[in-house]
Amino acid sequence: MGVSDEYVNKAKAELGDLADAGVVMSGNAFSPVLLVKGEPEEAGVKLLAGPDGDALRAALGALGYAPEEWAALSVRDTEGFPLVPGTLRLAIATLDPATVIALDAPAASAICEAFADELVELESLEAATLAPGYVVRLLGMRVLALGGFEQSLADAKAKQVMWARLKQVPPLGEPY
């Protein structure tokens, strides 16, 4: 078994452990963007399979991300209960994104709880509370809270606000 096979097997095991713990994920686990959703999906609907997911994928494409460069994570488990902060933190660490986008207030709140020790050290209240529209550097990741993406789809002005916020996190390119 080569090094790459060992890496893939390790990732499969870690993702399998998260799935066994009830963590709801979709998309590409090896992507630079993690979309975190706090509001529950309708029963039986896959995470970000609706209009919000379509709009997010289109926005990421317009920013220059490839179609496969996203993963999604719910802050609720398969039973609909909130993930405990340690499990959410482990899920984010396992997926290891360069950019985390909290799509709504419950997602931002859950991320704040999971990373409270690090956020309290930040320079401003807006950064420490993941206020919508602020890009925060957290443990090597860019974190952006959008503040109600799904609800914004019904309002042209709110969609413009979301687009302006998303434009703050374009693809990073090569790390050199």
Side-chain angles (χ1 to χ4, degrees):
M1 182 181 314
V3 173
S4 62
D5 291 334
E6 290 175 12
Y7 180 73
V8 170
N9 289 337
K10 176 184 179 291
K12 283 182 181 178
E14 290 172 343
L15 293 169
D17 290 347
L18 289 173
D20 291 344
V23 176
V24 177
M25 302 169 282
S26 67
N28 177 5
F30 298 104
S31 67
V33 177
L34 177 60
L35 306 168
V36 182
K37 187 167 184 178
E39 295 292 336
E41 296 286 5
E42 292 180 31
V45 175
K46 186 177 175 184
L47 186 60
L48 295 180
D52 58 338
D54 293 342
L56 284 163
R57 286 185 288 282
L60 291 174
L63 287 171
Y65 288 97
E68 71 279 0
E69 288 188 320
W70 65 275
L73 173 67
S74 176
V75 300
R76 297 179 175 276
D77 67 15
T78 53
E79 301 296 319
F81 296 107
L83 295 176
V84 296
T87 301
L88 178 60
R89 185 180 176 106
L90 177 62
I92 292 171
T94 300
L95 294 168
D96 192 27
T99 303
V100 176
I101 301 172
L103 301 177
D104 49 40
S109 178
I111 293 169
C112 282
E113 193 173 350
F115 293 93
D117 291 343
E118 292 81 11
L119 288 168
V120 75
E121 300 292 325
L122 296 179
E123 66 283 349
S124 71
L125 180 61
E126 293 83 8
T129 59
L130 295 181
Y134 286 84
V135 177
V136 176
R137 301 274 180 202
L138 180 66
L139 298 175
M141 301 176 290
R142 298 182 299 180
V143 180
L144 169 65
L146 289 179
F149 184 83
E150 189 170 10
Q151 293 81 8
S152 77
L153 297 178
D155 180 290
K157 184 171 174 92
K159 282 195 291 192
Q160 289 177 344
V161 169
M162 293 299 141
W163 176 240
R165 290 175 181 170
L166 282 168
K167 288 194 300 186
Q168 297 179 86
V169 289
L172 292 170
E174 297 297 328
Y176 47 79

